[in-house]
Structure formats: structure tokens, C-alpha cells
């Protein structure tokens, strides 16, 4: 599969997964809080993860379509992003002990994703 075709397919799959995530998130936030405690409420509130898993599936498929060089570059960026995020969260844990506000676990993936994307942009800008 050509790189341009692979990117187009990835974009379709990723946007589909993110669209499903957004739809399920809206439904979960509107319906879930008013439900009685129990397994059904838990399932409704966790249902956006179906869209997340679809987006994750798109990423896994895209890695399989990449050539070895692109795959290595992306995995290096992911490893560095994970290390930067680990350092940031570990440091912030000490700051919480100093009185800083607690952060939600929801902040970790966006931070890691931002670092991952920034690294990719920097690599493209610098010339790989």
C-alpha cells in the first residue's frame, strides 16, 4: 500500500474512532449521571472507551502499514514521549505533596500525545 493511501485510510479510521468516542461521551455524560448506581450505569459511563479502542485499532493498523524507517521513528518518538510524561507526572507527584492541586488521570494521555506530536513535528522540521 502506498504511503498516501495508507495515510488516507488511517485518517478515515482514526476520525471514525474519535467520532464514535465523542458521540458516546456526550451520551454517557448526559445519561449516566442520572442513572441509579449499578452495572448498567458503569457500562454507560465507560462506553466512550469503545470509540477509544476503535482509535487505538486505527493506530495499530497504521503501524502495520508503515515501512521500517517510519515505524522506527514513530516508536522512538513514542518512547521519548512516555519518558517525558513519566518524568513530568513523577515530579508533579512531589509537587502535590507540597500542596499543589491533584491532577486528574485524564491529563496524562493528552500530555503524552502532545509530546509525541511535538516530537514528530520537530523531527519533520529539523529534517529527521
Amino acid at each position: 500500500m502506498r504511503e498516501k493511501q495508507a495515510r488516507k485510510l488511517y485518517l478515515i479510521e482514526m476520525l471514525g474512532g474519535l467520532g464514535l468516542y465523542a458521540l458516546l461521551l456526550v451520551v454517557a455524560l448526559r445519561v449516566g449521571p442520572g442513572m441509579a448506581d449499578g452495572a448498567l450505569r458503569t457500562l454507560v459511563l465507560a462506553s466512550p472507551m469503545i470509540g477509544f479502542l476503535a482509535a487505538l485499532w486505527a493506530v495499530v493498523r497504521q503501524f502495520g502499514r508503515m515501512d521500517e524507517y517510519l515505524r522506527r521513528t514513530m516508536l522512538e518518538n513514542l518512547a521519548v514521549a512516555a519518558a517525558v510524561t513519566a518524568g513530568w507526572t513523577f515530579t508533579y507527584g512531589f509537587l502535590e505533596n507540597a500542596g499543589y492541586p491533584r491532577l486528574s488521570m485524564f491529563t496524562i494521555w493528552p500530555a503524552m500525545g502532545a509530546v509525541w506530536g511535538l516530537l514528530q513535528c520537530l523531527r519533520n522540521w529539523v529534517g529527521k
Side-chain angles (χ1 to χ4, degrees), residues 40-93:
L40 182 59
R41 180 175 188 245
T42 301
L43 288 173
V44 168
L45 290 172
S47 68
M49 290 306 297
I50 296 168
F52 173 84
L53 291 173
L56 177 63
W57 174 77
V59 170
V60 170
R61 286 178 46 87
Q62 182 63 8
F63 268 95
R65 292 185 203 108
M66 289 179 183
D67 66 26
E68 294 82 12
Y69 175 75
L70 288 175
R71 187 178 304 133
R72 191 191 94 219
T73 301
M74 290 295 277
L75 289 174
E76 285 174 0
N77 290 344
L78 181 58
V80 172
V84 168
T85 304
W88 168 69
T89 57
F90 198 65
T91 301
Y92 199 85

Side-chain angles (χ1 to χ4, degrees), residues 6-15 58-59 62 65:
R7 281 187 187 174
K8 185 177 180 180
L9 187 55
Y10 171 68
L11 188 61
I12 291 168
E13 292 171 352
M14 177 58 80
L15 290 177
V59 170
Q62 182 63 8
R65 292 185 203 108

Side-chain angles (χ1 to χ4, degrees), residues 106-128:
F106 282 114
T107 61
I108 295 172
W109 166 238
M112 188 170 142
V115 173
W116 189 9
L118 180 62
L119 286 169
Q120 188 61 41
C121 290
L122 285 173
R123 269 196 156 159
N124 290 339
W125 183 58
V126 171
K128 297 162 177 94

